[in-house]
Amino acid sequence: MAEYETLLVERDAELPGLVTVTLHRPEKLNAISGRMHRELQEVCRELADDAEARVVILTGAGRAFSAGADLGGSASDPNRPPLATLQAERSPLRERLRASQGNRTAAALEGLPQVTIGAVNGLAIGGAVVLLACLDLRIAAATAWFSIPEVDLDIPLTWNALPRLMRELGPARTRELVMTCERFTAEQALAWGFVNRVVPEGEALAAARELARQLLAKDPMALALTKSTCAALADAMVPAHVTHSDPDYLVLARLLAQERGGRGSTGG
């Protein structure tokens, strides 16, 4: 596979059929930049045409899975992510396209034909939780923790996250976590069904590889058909497309932040 600036993509020499994708911006706690969005989408396009890859692990480099959407950068940066600054370009369609990149990344991960495993080696915040919700299985280190802080940042949770979280956590728990923005632990995530297993610190990736080993020993067609049927059932439960206006919500949030700023408010 191609080399990337924000990702490490490795085919496993010991386990043929396993591909590990590592979010690789450890100095930024693997924050999801515009470039990372594009590279994740590119990797998913390659994997969609890869009949040899049967299991994909997604993990993070260093001490974090991911700190979520990268809100830094300047308006002149071509890789500027959504909501990076309060000064949006004066092109509504360009802003709408930029605001939809999280939706596209989430859809690309969820649409992979391979069985996907999240190895949560550390903190997972905001958009990182959304990406994990797009995966089939999740293993977390005991010291990992999760947070969905968007409402506290005066922005709605988008990226088609709410349908996916409601599938995984149920409506009541999703409302609580998204509205209160309270941090939750790996053990809580296990009790609520968001992660499948909790393992000691430093062992998330090894445990994910062992799970991949078990899956790779199964009949390829039986596993592939089970994956696709489960995906169809999940979409029938709560279709992701019901939040089709998510990009517009992000654009609106930016416009409201600009208006508050114009009135001297420090909010947004």
Side-chain angles (χ1 to χ4, degrees):
M1 287 188 170
E3 292 189 3
Y4 298 95
E5 182 177 310
T6 67
L7 306 174
L8 292 178
V9 182
E10 302 169 286
R11 294 185 183 275
D12 200 295
E14 181 185 345
L15 296 174
L18 172 61
V19 175
T20 299
V21 178
T22 304
L23 309 179
H24 198 259
R25 299 181 72 207
E27 74 287 355
K28 297 288 187 180
L29 297 180
N30 305 319
I32 307 166
S33 63
R35 180 175 293 277
M36 184 180 284
H37 276 296
R38 290 191 294 276
E39 291 186 349
L40 280 169
Q41 291 166 30
E42 182 177 340
V43 167
C44 288
R45 283 192 294 270
E46 290 189 37
L47 288 169
D49 291 328
D50 190 339
E52 301 303 317
R54 296 177 50 208
V55 179
V56 175
I57 293 174
L58 182 66
T59 192
R63 62 189 181 92
F65 177 78
S66 171
D70 189 343
L71 303 183
S74 67
S76 61
D77 181 359
N79 298 318
R80 181 171 67 95
L83 302 178
T85 70
L86 298 182
Q87 296 300 319
E89 292 182 11
R90 300 303 179 187
S91 169
L93 289 179
R94 186 183 300 276
E95 276 301 300
R96 191 172 191 264
L97 181 64
R98 182 183 290 119
S100 70
Q101 60 186 351
N103 301 66
R104 297 194 299 274
T105 301
L109 284 171
E110 189 174 67
L112 284 173
Q114 294 85 7
V115 179
T116 52
I117 304 171
V120 190
N121 51 305
L123 61 87
I125 299 175
V129 178
V130 181
L131 298 189
L132 286 168
C134 297
L135 306 180
D136 298 312
L137 303 166
R138 292 169 286 273
I139 294 175
T143 52
W145 55 269
F146 307 82
S147 173
I148 308 171
E150 275 74 1
V151 170
D152 277 351
L153 298 173
D154 299 335
I155 55 179
L157 180 64
T158 56
W159 297 13
N160 301 123
L162 289 173
R164 294 181 172 110
L165 290 173
M166 285 196 173
R167 295 174 196 162
E168 304 301 316
L169 287 159
R173 188 69 66 187
T174 296
R175 292 189 194 101
E176 177 186 1
L177 295 175
V178 175
M179 291 180 179
T180 67
C181 306
E182 290 181 351
R183 178 186 299 191
F184 55 104
T185 66
E187 289 294 341
Q188 287 174 308
L190 177 65
W192 298 337
F194 187 68
V195 301
N196 300 86
R197 304 176 187 179
V198 173
V199 298
E201 181 179 8
E203 296 183 16
L205 182 56
R209 289 187 72 253
E210 181 54 37
L211 179 55
R213 185 191 302 275
Q214 296 177 36
L215 294 169
L216 290 167
K218 310 295 183 185
D219 176 74
M221 280 300 295
L223 195 65
L225 290 170
T226 301
K227 153 88 185 203
S228 61
T229 302
C230 286
L233 288 167
D235 190 61
M237 289 170 60
V238 189
H241 72 260
V242 298
T243 48
H244 64 91
S245 293
D246 273 2
D248 304 299
Y249 295 156
L250 278 180
V251 174
L252 176 61
R254 184 181 294 114
L255 293 174
L256 290 173
Q258 290 176 347
E259 183 178 344
R260 288 193 297 270
R263 294 198 301 264
S265 169
T266 59

Short mmCIF file of all heavy atoms in Angstrom, two decimals, residues 39 47 79 83 105 109 116 118 145 173 187 214 226 261 267:
data_model
loop_
_atom_site.label_atom_id
_atom_site.label_comp_id
_atom_site.label_asym_id
_atom_site.label_seq_id
_atom_site.Cartn_x
_atom_site.Cartn_y
_atom_site.Cartn_z
N GLU A 39 -6.68 10.66 3.92
CA GLU A 39 -5.88 9.44 3.85
C GLU A 39 -6.67 8.23 4.35
O GLU A 39 -6.54 7.14 3.78
CB GLU A 39 -4.58 9.64 4.65
CG GLU A 39 -3.66 10.65 3.97
CD GLU A 39 -2.30 10.80 4.62
OE1 GLU A 39 -2.12 10.27 5.75
OE2 GLU A 39 -1.42 11.43 4.03
N LEU A 47 -8.79 -0.77 0.37
CA LEU A 47 -9.21 -1.99 1.04
C LEU A 47 -10.50 -2.54 0.44
O LEU A 47 -10.72 -3.75 0.42
CB LEU A 47 -9.39 -1.74 2.54
CG LEU A 47 -8.09 -1.55 3.34
CD1 LEU A 47 -8.40 -1.04 4.73
CD2 LEU A 47 -7.32 -2.87 3.41
N ASN A 79 -5.20 22.16 4.49
CA ASN A 79 -5.67 20.98 5.21
C ASN A 79 -6.51 21.34 6.42
O ASN A 79 -6.77 20.52 7.29
CB ASN A 79 -4.47 20.14 5.68
CG ASN A 79 -3.65 19.66 4.51
OD1 ASN A 79 -4.19 19.25 3.51
ND2 ASN A 79 -2.33 19.74 4.64
N LEU A 83 -14.38 23.71 11.45
CA LEU A 83 -14.40 24.45 12.70
C LEU A 83 -13.00 24.75 13.24
O LEU A 83 -12.82 24.98 14.42
CB LEU A 83 -15.20 23.68 13.77
CG LEU A 83 -16.65 23.39 13.38
CD1 LEU A 83 -17.32 22.58 14.47
CD2 LEU A 83 -17.41 24.66 13.12
N THR A 105 -15.59 10.03 6.04
CA THR A 105 -14.65 9.10 6.66
C THR A 105 -15.38 8.01 7.43
O THR A 105 -15.05 6.82 7.34
CB THR A 105 -13.69 9.86 7.59
OG1 THR A 105 -12.98 10.85 6.85
CG2 THR A 105 -12.69 8.91 8.24
N LEU A 109 -15.25 3.89 6.66
CA LEU A 109 -14.87 2.86 7.63
C LEU A 109 -16.00 1.86 7.83
O LEU A 109 -15.79 0.65 7.84
CB LEU A 109 -14.50 3.50 8.97
CG LEU A 109 -13.13 4.18 9.04
CD1 LEU A 109 -13.01 4.96 10.34
CD2 LEU A 109 -12.01 3.16 8.93
N THR A 116 -13.76 -5.30 11.01
CA THR A 116 -12.93 -4.23 11.55
C THR A 116 -12.90 -4.30 13.07
O THR A 116 -13.92 -4.56 13.72
CB THR A 116 -13.44 -2.86 11.10
OG1 THR A 116 -14.84 -2.74 11.40
CG2 THR A 116 -13.25 -2.67 9.59
N GLY A 118 -11.37 -2.15 16.50
CA GLY A 118 -10.73 -0.99 17.09
C GLY A 118 -9.89 -1.42 18.29
O GLY A 118 -10.40 -2.10 19.19
N TRP A 145 -9.96 5.94 28.10
CA TRP A 145 -11.20 6.61 28.48
C TRP A 145 -11.78 7.32 27.27
O TRP A 145 -11.09 7.52 26.26
CB TRP A 145 -11.01 7.57 29.65
CG TRP A 145 -9.95 8.62 29.48
CD1 TRP A 145 -8.65 8.54 29.82
CD2 TRP A 145 -10.14 9.93 28.92
NE1 TRP A 145 -7.99 9.71 29.50
CE2 TRP A 145 -8.88 10.58 28.96
CE3 TRP A 145 -11.23 10.63 28.40
CZ2 TRP A 145 -8.70 11.89 28.50
CZ3 TRP A 145 -11.05 11.92 27.94
CH2 TRP A 145 -9.78 12.54 27.99
N ARG A 173 -28.67 6.05 26.86
CA ARG A 173 -27.26 6.26 27.18
C ARG A 173 -26.64 7.24 26.20
O ARG A 173 -25.81 8.08 26.58
CB ARG A 173 -26.52 4.92 27.12
CG ARG A 173 -25.08 5.01 27.61
CD ARG A 173 -25.01 5.26 29.11
NE ARG A 173 -25.53 4.14 29.87
CZ ARG A 173 -25.70 4.14 31.19
NH1 ARG A 173 -25.41 5.22 31.89
NH2 ARG A 173 -26.18 3.08 31.82
N GLU A 187 -14.13 0.43 31.50
CA GLU A 187 -15.03 -0.51 32.19
C GLU A 187 -16.48 -0.11 31.99
O GLU A 187 -17.35 -0.98 31.82
CB GLU A 187 -14.68 -0.58 33.68
CG GLU A 187 -13.37 -1.28 33.98
CD GLU A 187 -13.40 -2.77 33.63
OE1 GLU A 187 -14.50 -3.33 33.49
OE2 GLU A 187 -12.31 -3.36 33.48
N GLN A 214 -8.23 -15.42 15.44
CA GLN A 214 -9.41 -16.27 15.53
C GLN A 214 -10.32 -16.09 14.32
O GLN A 214 -10.83 -17.07 13.76
CB GLN A 214 -10.19 -15.93 16.80
CG GLN A 214 -9.45 -16.19 18.10
CD GLN A 214 -10.26 -15.75 19.31
OE1 GLN A 214 -11.48 -15.88 19.34
NE2 GLN A 214 -9.59 -15.22 20.30
N THR A 226 -21.61 -12.92 7.10
CA THR A 226 -22.07 -12.51 8.43
C THR A 226 -21.83 -11.02 8.64
O THR A 226 -22.70 -10.31 9.17
CB THR A 226 -21.35 -13.33 9.51
OG1 THR A 226 -21.62 -14.71 9.30
CG2 THR A 226 -21.81 -12.92 10.89
N GLY A 261 -19.13 36.19 18.25
CA GLY A 261 -17.86 36.89 18.30
C GLY A 261 -18.01 38.35 17.91
O GLY A 261 -17.36 39.24 18.48
N GLY A 267 -17.78 33.04 23.55
CA GLY A 267 -18.27 31.69 23.32
C GLY A 267 -17.93 31.19 21.95
O GLY A 267 -17.59 31.95 21.06
#
